[in-house]
Amino acid sequence: MQDIDLLFLLLGAVLVLAMHAGFAFLELGTVRHKNQVNALSKILTDFALSAIAYFFVGYYIAYGHHFFHMGATLAADHGYNLMRCFFLLTFAAAIPAIISGGIAERAKMRSQALATLLLVALVYPFFEGIVWNGNFGIQTWLEHTFGAPFHDFAGSVVVHAMGGWIALAAVILLGARHGRYKKDGRVSAHPPSSIPFLALGSWILIVGWFGFNVMSAQRLDAISGMVAINSLMAMVGGTITANMMGKNDPGFLHNGPLAGLVAICAGSDIVHPFGALVIGAIAGIIFVKFFTYTQNKLKVDDVLGVWPLHGICGAFGGLAVGIFGQQWLGGIGGVSMMSQIMGTLFAIVVALAGGFAVYGGLKACIGIRLSQEDEFRGADLSIHKISANSDDSMF
């Protein structure tokens, strides 16, 4: 391990760490004003708890390395495992950051904190280790059976689909916000509190995503310009189609690039740039259609649309590798559609099982939802005893 590779990992970790500011401002801009402080507070708290859970438990479950050694041992090889843990824990912390957007405006902070510890220490690393470390021999079996292992270069499925499907379980167990759905079937509009903050969150995520994808190589000699340009193509593809399908709605516009980036993570290292553009464009359409269907037809109150954005687009990204990664479509090859289907379905099963187990258990034991009165007052005053802006802030 060369010193330059450690710097490469550090820069990647810093860029992905910055993405959590993007998660925070995306949620801040989407929720109502009375829940803005809570949006910011949840993301930072969840990141801190994620770091503890992953450093002490999750990294060991995924990769078999722990840090209960003397300092001299940890510092060997320039502390490579420590740096790698830092990089990968920024990915792990994306799980509760994704979930946070779905359960916004009515979730208890204490319950979400406990859920974060359990998910990042146990549920996420279990699947992460299977895909990225070959745990339990599942990848070997897929390769022997279908000719190639499950391919997910930067986490369309490992991170985003996992987070999105866990969030679906949490949202279902929480139930809709009070007053969101009327008895006569009408849907009460809860417009975003700040389009500028929503847009800022989207832009921060877009910039950080190039660290998320490109630096998933984890070594400088493995860096690829194809990953960068494919991420760019998918981002612009998602932006254009989401804006068109969303009829210039700024919420759809600023989530469109994120949909494209979610979908391209898995195959960014092997698909052709034209294929990446198509993947991103399809993902933008998927997000708009599924968000609308989820809110209006299924009446699942997923505030930021994290299940369509991360769960559905992430699963689509995992499957798209099996198509656009093939050589006959300009890809590099070495992928199996059956392996992609099997790996993606397995992720959904693990995510739903883990999500219902964790949030279901917490709901039965301590509750996961604010009281109706606290929800009406808003999480800012009910939990944090302060609003986002004081009455005399203008003077």
Side-chain angles (χ1 to χ4, degrees), residues 258-347:
L258 309 184
L261 286 162
V262 165
I264 198 56
C265 287
S268 56
D269 61 326
I270 62 171
V271 304
H272 191 279
F274 292 159
L277 182 63
V278 174
I279 289 172
I282 295 173
I285 296 171
I286 288 173
F287 172 70
V288 175
K289 291 294 185 182
F290 269 88
F291 180 86
T292 305
Y293 181 73
T294 301
Q295 299 288 331
N296 298 337
K297 300 297 182 180
L298 295 181
K299 290 183 168 53
V300 174
D301 192 14
D302 178 354
V303 180
L304 267 69
V306 297
W307 178 58
L309 180 63
H310 298 275
I312 301 297
C313 290
F316 164 68
L319 299 177
V321 179
I323 300 171
F324 293 94
Q326 302 290 348
Q327 291 183 342
W328 62 275
L329 278 175
I332 293 176
V335 291
S336 162
M337 189 62 194
M338 280 304 302
S339 291
Q340 296 307 119
I341 293 172
M342 295 283 285
T344 301
L345 289 177
F346 184 47

Side-chain angles (χ1 to χ4, degrees), residues 178-196:
H178 289 292
R180 175 64 169 157
Y181 300 110
K182 306 295 185 181
K183 292 182 179 180
D184 60 5
R186 291 182 296 115
V187 180
S188 176
H190 289 355
S193 59
S194 174
I195 296 299

Side-chain angles (χ1 to χ4, degrees), residues 150-216:
F150 175 67
H151 187 92
D152 188 355
F153 178 70
S156 286
V157 177
V158 174
V159 179
H160 297 285
M162 283 287 292
W165 287 88
I166 292 172
L168 176 63
V171 168
I172 290 172
L173 289 169
L174 266 175
R177 289 166 289 178
H178 289 292
R180 175 64 169 157
Y181 300 110
K182 306 295 185 181
K183 292 182 179 180
D184 60 5
R186 291 182 296 115
V187 180
S188 176
H190 289 355
S193 59
S194 174
I195 296 299
F197 277 142
L198 187 159
L200 175 64
S202 175
W203 272 109
I204 294 172
L205 284 165
I206 289 168
V207 173
W209 222 298
F210 287 87
F212 195 97
N213 283 2
V214 175
M215 291 175 175
S216 284

